[in-house]
Amino acid sequence: MRNNFYYEYLHLVLFILSIFLLRLEITTTIAISHHPVAAVGAGNYKCMDKERHALLDFKACIDQDPYGFLSTWTTEDRTTNDCCKWIGVTCNNQTGHVIRLHLVDGDLEGKISPSLLDLIHLNYLNLFGNSFNGTIPMFIGSMTQLRYLDLGSNLFSGIVPPELGNLTNLKEFSLQDLRRCTIENLDWLSHLSNLETLDMSGISLAKEIHWVNAILRLHKLSHLSLDRCDLSHFVRTNSYSYSKSSSYSSIVTLSLAGNNLNSSMYHWLFPLTSNRLVDLDLSHNKLDKIPKYLGSLCSLTFLHIAYNTMPAKFPDFLDNLSGCTSATLQWLDASSSQFTGSLSDEIRKFSSLQTLDLSHNQLNGTISEKVWQLPSLQLLLVSSNSLKGHNNLSGRLPSSIEYLLNLEVPDLVDQSEGVGEATDEFERSLYIGGASGFATGFWIVCGALLVNRRGRKAFFRVMDSLKDWFYIKVMVFTANWQRATHA
Ligand SMILES: *[C@@H]1O[C@H](CO)[C@@H](O)[C@H](O)[C@H]1NC(C)=O
Ligand SMILES: *[C@@H]1O[C@H](CO)[C@@H](O)[C@H](O)[C@H]1NC(C)=O
Ligand SMILES: *[C@@H]1O[C@H](CO)[C@@H](O)[C@H](O)[C@H]1NC(C)=O
């Protein structure tokens, strides 16, 4: 019993520590990228008068700077005079020209000053997570040297100006979560022929019925996020057709979550997908069937279809997916999607699976032995189903598999009788796992996820899946602790 107690305690502490470290790391990353010294390097260059004035004009149009982001932007004395050392500003270390402006999550409130036009060497402008308001200024469309532009999560309203189509050097472009903005016509988008990453999540495309065509003209596009874009309004018109030749898409990651999509979306999904597609997110929609052609996307590695309405048999679903996808699929999130049937032998084809989340479905029967023989499986989540396990299962588990299953009465609870309320909920849950398995899997995932914003989004999705796990941890810990203190 004592062993159990320390074992659970250790797990819990490890988990909390992981979260803490992760947060710390994210904060540090942000802090470093804001830090003037780190951003500038140690050159002897100094900023141009004209560019310094442009930045001061930019500051003058900011009404609120709650965190003092721009407090270093002053010319009070010689040490602060060099705008290349101001927070958020990066200069070219040879020429001293301002090349990057990175003012993220500062809650800056006000208007964007046209003085930015004087920063003729600026190629990176990131104003994500502030409170800039009014319409998106047209003059931004004249900053044609920009390669990176992020205006996401601000309070802009009105129509997104077609002038942005003049930014033909853009490689990454985000208008994410500009919920008050509207787009009526996306023709301008197809001029951005160098675009590789586009995020328009949270902006309504309900009025633009030709957005697929605009996207298909972007031949270098690799990453597309259109979460929460009201795409369910998209109607197929008779005059609207995709020729096979123009349908070769370069998209590698495609995210269409939260659009209330039903299965009629597949006719336009088809031209957007190709054998280059690696990551497809269709979660939080109203899809009821997965068509066979998804299984013929031979590079598909990550598939998210959680939170849909698929009262289908899980084995049939796997069958539809099994074309060539079964060899590549590493991550399948099919939680909360009303799947029925059992976790049967069909799973054995999916030999690359590392993470399988089937929690919150209506699966029943016993879990196929084949699951435990999947060579790469690291995380299996099957809580909130009606699955049965075997009492002797733990003996056969590879230590790298973390296994959550409801119903069976767990050993741990057997030993914690008399604990009362704490175990009532817990009795429906069973946890068996190797001590090192979870930690390893967790860090592999986290390591990969820290890399970029998209990764962080995925991280929080993982956290969503792990909340059951965490809950059980807390329950076991509480139960054992109470026992230990009563003893
Ligand atoms: C100047 O910038 C280049 C390219 O960003 C970098 O490789 C180089 O190390 C920098 N030099 C100094 C002295 O910071
Ligand atoms: C920018 O785009 C607008 C509208 O698309 C166009 O009328 C204008 O001529 C463009 N300006 C430049 C400088 O290319
Ligand atoms: C499998 O695909 C076929 C044809 O694409 C479809 O009719 C069927 O409903 C799909 N089954 C599931 C479970 O998605």
Side-chain angles (χ1 to χ4, degrees), residues 138 141-142 144 161-167 188 191:
M138 274 182 223
S142 303
T144 50
E163 280 73 11
L164 296 181
N166 292 335
L167 299 175
W188 55 269
H191 299 295

Side-chain angles (χ1 to χ4, degrees), residues 267-311:
H267 81 270
W268 56 256
L269 182 67
F270 177 66
L272 290 175
T273 53
S274 73
N275 273 342
R276 296 199 196 177
L277 191 68
V278 170
D279 187 339
L280 178 61
D281 189 346
L282 297 174
S283 51
H284 293 273
N285 280 301
K286 289 183 176 153
L287 301 171
D288 56 8
K289 291 175 194 167
I290 290 289
K292 285 199 162 146
Y293 95 82
L294 278 195
S296 65
L297 298 172
C298 297
S299 299
L300 196 62
T301 308
F302 305 92
L303 178 61
H304 312 270
I305 52 152
Y307 296 94
N308 276 288
T309 47
M310 308 212 192

Side-chain angles (χ1 to χ4, degrees), residues 175-275:
L175 296 174
Q176 187 199 333
D177 287 316
L178 298 183
R179 297 203 175 83
R180 305 168 180 198
C181 285
T182 53
I183 289 182
E184 291 180 354
N185 184 316
L186 263 187
D187 286 349
W188 55 269
L189 189 68
S190 43
H191 299 295
L192 306 183
S193 55
N194 284 306
L195 212 54
E196 292 169 7
T197 301
L198 175 63
D199 190 343
M200 298 204 293
S201 294
I203 192 164
S204 176
L205 291 177
K207 290 185 178 151
E208 164 51 291
I209 59 162
H210 296 305
W211 67 266
V212 177
N213 279 352
I215 296 290
L216 286 175
R217 287 194 208 106
L218 302 173
H219 295 293
K220 293 186 184 167
L221 193 65
S222 299
H223 309 287
L224 175 62
S225 296
L226 297 175
D227 299 341
R228 296 166 280 107
C229 286
D230 279 338
L231 299 181
S232 65
H233 294 77
F234 185 83
V235 199
R236 185 182 200 171
T237 60
N238 283 340
S239 59
Y240 199 67
S241 65
Y242 309 99
S243 69
K244 187 80 179 148
S245 59
S246 72
S247 77
Y248 191 70
S249 159
S250 54
I251 296 175
V252 175
T253 64
L254 176 59
S255 190
L256 300 167
N259 279 298
N260 275 326
L261 298 170
N262 60 34
S263 296
S264 70
M265 61 87 75
Y266 292 118
H267 81 270
W268 56 256
L269 182 67
F270 177 66
L272 290 175
T273 53
S274 73
N275 273 342

